[in-house]
């Protein structure tokens, strides 16, 4: 799945601009493309700057222009190499980055061409820049370029992962959101999870997850990364050691998008399956049962299956059933599980969900009080849009 964010809050899916592109005469568009290609080849820096800005505009919503302007990739990459101490470097760098970013959106050939033209070296250097705008654009560029399977090992070899984790820790809100999405893209390449784990990213991922809207694409990518990372012992230890770490995952399970909830329940299930004795209590302590019961009814097919498996693991006890007091959380879970294994699972689960919420209200109050101590409201991060590469600027 491909992800796009909106680093400068200008969406590529603007209906008005798309409509304008549809009605603009093809000859006019072609003329503008030819003029931009001519200017970008110029030796005059002002002409190149003008061309880069025009290429950015032309490729913002037009897939046809992205193809027609693919020849501009090499001269645009050369603009990224203008010495950073040069007075003209900042506008040149920003204009070229944004033009390349738009050329790469939803265009696999351009993504590969940009990397082959040598763009990674300057882009990686911009991640270290004190200029927050340049840092944001560089992060957004890596997000888009990392959506290409061909580019993933090259980006990893360039040393981008540790720098992306640093952006995740210390970057602007938008850069942090784009960084976690880029890391999520890169995590699907073999062995990259080990590289990511070595940078100790979980505290920063949890912090981002706590502060973003739980139904956002940012939350989905944080949850996906956590699900992958808890497949390793170091990841599980890091999540449970981080204050509010398991709780953040539980909150996504309760309030996230369908895909986010699937990742969240998958993460908790992986933990419990790896060492039930070690992780059962930390998961139960965060009041996961109501969300799990709801997921058995309203989740995706995978979520429903995983929720039932996790409930099975959570219900088992080292004590005999007779030693448990009536209406404890454990008895409620046992009764629910024993009754939803039949054919009318969905109907029964809905009824029992209502009963369970009422019976466990007093026990949940303690968990809510603990949550209040751990999770205090902070500013919300911007929500990235819906695919795995950045949107046009």
């Amino acid at each position: 799945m491909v992800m796009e964010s909106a680093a400068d809050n200008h969406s590529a899916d603007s209906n008005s601009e798309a409509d304008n592109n549809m009605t603009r005469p093809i000859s006019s568009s072609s003329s503008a493309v030819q003029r931009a290609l001519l200017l970008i080849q110029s030796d005059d820096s002002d002409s190149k700057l003008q061309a880069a800005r025009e290429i950015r505009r032309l490729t913002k919503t037009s897939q046809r222009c992205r193809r027609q302007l693919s020849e501009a990739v090499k001269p645009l990459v050369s603009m990224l190499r203008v010495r950073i101490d040069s007075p003209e470097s900042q506008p040149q760098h920003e204009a070229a980055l944004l033009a390349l970013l738009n050329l790469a959106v939803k265009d696999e050939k351009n993504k590969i061409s940009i990397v082959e033209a040598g763009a990674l070296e300057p882009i990686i250097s911009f991640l270290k820049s004190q200029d927050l705008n340049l840092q944001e654009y560089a992060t957004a560029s890596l997000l888009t370029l990392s959506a290409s399977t061909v580019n993933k090992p090259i980006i990893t070899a360039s040393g981008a992962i540790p720098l992306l984790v640093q952006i995740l820790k210390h970057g602007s809100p938008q850069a942090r959101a784009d960084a976690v999405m880029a890391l999520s893209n890169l995590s699907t390449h073999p062995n990259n999870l080990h590289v990511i784990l070595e940078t100790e990213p979980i505290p920063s991922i949890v912090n981002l997850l706590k502060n973003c809207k739980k139904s956002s694409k940012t939350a989905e990518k944080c949850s996906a990364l956590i699900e992958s990372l808890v497949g390793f012992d170091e990841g599980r230890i890091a999540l449970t050691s981080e204050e509010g770490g398991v709780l953040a995952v539980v909150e996504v399970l309760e309030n996230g998008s369908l895909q986010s909830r699937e990742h969240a329940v998958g993460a908790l299930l992986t933990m419990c399956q790896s060492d039930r004795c070690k992780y059962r209590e930390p998961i139960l302590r965060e009041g996961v049962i109501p969300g799990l019961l709801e997921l058995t009814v309203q989740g995706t097919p995978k979520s429903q299956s995983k929720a039932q498996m996790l409930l099975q693991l959570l219900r088992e006890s080292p004590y005999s059933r007779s030693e448990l007091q009536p209406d404890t959380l454990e008895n409620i879970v046992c009764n629910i599980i024993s009754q939803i294994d039949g054919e009318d699972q969905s109907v029964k689960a809905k009824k029992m969900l209502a009963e369970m919420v009422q019976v466990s209200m007093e026990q949940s109050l303690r968990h809510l009080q603990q949550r209040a101590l751990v999770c205090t409201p902070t500013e919300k991060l911007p929500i990235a849009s819906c695919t795995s590469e950045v949107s046009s600027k």
Side-chain angles (χ1 to χ4, degrees), residues 36-79:
L37 286 174
L38 185 64
L39 286 175
I40 199 67
Q41 302 286 352
S42 169
D43 292 329
D44 178 65
S45 60
D46 288 339
S47 296
K48 293 172 81 72
L49 181 61
Q50 181 186 349
R53 289 170 174 167
E54 180 66 2
I55 290 168
R56 174 194 176 188
R57 183 187 70 79
L58 289 168
T59 55
K60 184 169 185 177
T61 58
S62 172
Q63 189 63 36
R64 184 179 68 249
C65 285
R66 290 173 191 142
R67 284 284 79 234
Q68 293 173 336
L69 285 161
S70 59
E71 295 174 30
V73 165
K74 288 185 178 180
L76 284 169
V77 170
S78 72
M79 290 175 67

Side-chain angles (χ1 to χ4, degrees), residues 244-283:
V246 175
L247 174 58
V249 177
V250 170
E251 289 181 334
V252 173
L253 185 146
E254 294 173 339
N255 303 309
S257 65
L258 286 175
Q259 196 61 45
S260 295
R261 298 178 80 187
E262 186 176 306
H263 290 309
V265 71
L268 298 176
L269 178 60
T270 297
M271 293 171 66
C272 212
Q273 286 176 327
S274 71
D275 191 335
R276 177 190 165 279
C277 293
K278 184 174 183 178
Y279 295 114
R280 177 177 174 274
E281 284 304 320
I283 293 171

Side-chain angles (χ1 to χ4, degrees), residues 290 293 332 336 352-362 364:
L293 264 291
I332 293 167
I336 289 168
M352 288 182 287
L353 179 60
E355 288 178 6
M356 178 274 302
V357 171
Q358 183 176 356
V359 174
S360 65
M361 186 72 72
E362 290 184 5
S364 295

